[in-house]
Amino acid sequence: MAIERTLSIIKPDGVEKGVIGQVVARFEQAGLKPVAMRMAHLSRAEAEGFYAVHKARPFFSDLVKFMTSGPVVLMVLEGESAVAKNREIMGATDPAKAAAGTIRKDFASNIEKNTVHGSDSLENAKVEVGYFFREIELHPYEWKKA
Ligand code: CMP
C-alpha cells in the first residue's frame, strides 16, 4: 500500500443538503486527510473541462448544468490507497446500487445528483488534483489524535 492523493468534490446537492461536515467526517474517520479544501462555483468552461472525458456521453450537458448550478467543495484527500478508499466510502455512482453506509446511499438523490465525485484511478487523480489545485495549495500534515 502507498500514500496517495485523490480529488474529491462535494457536488451542489451535497452542499444544498447541508452535509458538507458529515461527508468530510466520513473521510477523516476512514483515515483520509483533507490536505487542500476550498469552495467554488464552477463556470461552464471549468465544468466542461473537468468532465471532458464524458463529452460524448448523452448526460454531458445535464451534468455540466448541474455542476454549475451552485457551489461545490473541492478537496484533495491524502492517505493509504486514497483513490480506492475514497471510492469505497462514496459508494456506486448510482445511489440505488450503492452499498449501505456509503455517502451516496445515505445522501444522494439519483445518478446525477450523487453528492460526491472521486477520481477513478491514480492517473486521473493526478490530473484532477492538478486541474483545481497548485502544488503550493496542498498542505500535508501529521495527525496527532487524542
Ligand atoms: P462522477 O463520479 O462525478 O462522474 C461523472 C458523473 O456523471 C457521475 O458522477 C454522475 O453524477 C453523472 N452521470 C449522470 N448520468 C450518468 C450515467 N447515466 N452514467 C454515469 N454517470 C452519470
Side-chain angles (χ1 to χ4, degrees):
M1 291 215 289
I3 300 292
E4 298 172 352
R5 286 175 180 164
T6 190
L7 186 83
S8 170
I9 303 177
I10 303 178
K11 298 186 179 187
D13 65 306
V15 174
E16 283 164 10
K17 282 176 184 152
V19 298
I20 295 173
Q22 291 184 67
V23 169
V24 174
R26 288 181 185 213
F27 293 142
E28 287 185 322
Q29 280 155 13
L32 293 179
K33 258 180 225 168
V35 296
M37 191 184 283
R38 76 166 183 272
M39 287 192 85
H41 192 142
L42 301 181
S43 68
R44 185 174 158 173
E46 285 170 334
E48 284 179 349
F50 181 73
Y51 280 119
V53 60
H54 296 302
K55 212 176 166 82
R57 308 284 287 270
F59 55 81
F60 182 72
S61 69
D62 283 345
L63 174 62
V64 168
K65 201 184 283 179
F66 167 59
M67 289 300 289
T68 57
S69 67
V72 298
V73 179
L74 306 168
M75 274 180 286
V76 180
L77 301 174
E78 182 185 88
E80 288 279 356
S81 307
V83 174
K85 199 180 271 184
N86 180 33
R87 292 181 69 74
E88 201 181 308
I89 298 164
M90 288 193 301
T93 306
D94 182 353
K97 296 180 185 150
T102 59
I103 291 170
R104 284 167 169 162
K105 184 72 180 181
D106 292 345
F107 303 124
S109 305
N110 54 50
I111 198 166
E112 178 182 82
K113 295 182 173 59
N114 65 353
T115 312
V116 277
H117 166 84
S119 310
D120 66 0
S121 68
L122 189 54
E123 195 186 357
N124 283 341
K126 287 178 181 151
V127 174
E128 292 185 355
V129 166
Y131 188 82
F132 286 118
F133 293 96
R134 293 179 296 145
E135 188 65 32
I136 201 170
E137 295 175 302
L138 307 181
H139 304 287
Y141 52 92
E142 292 307 317
W143 266 328
K144 297 186 180 103
K145 289 192 174 179

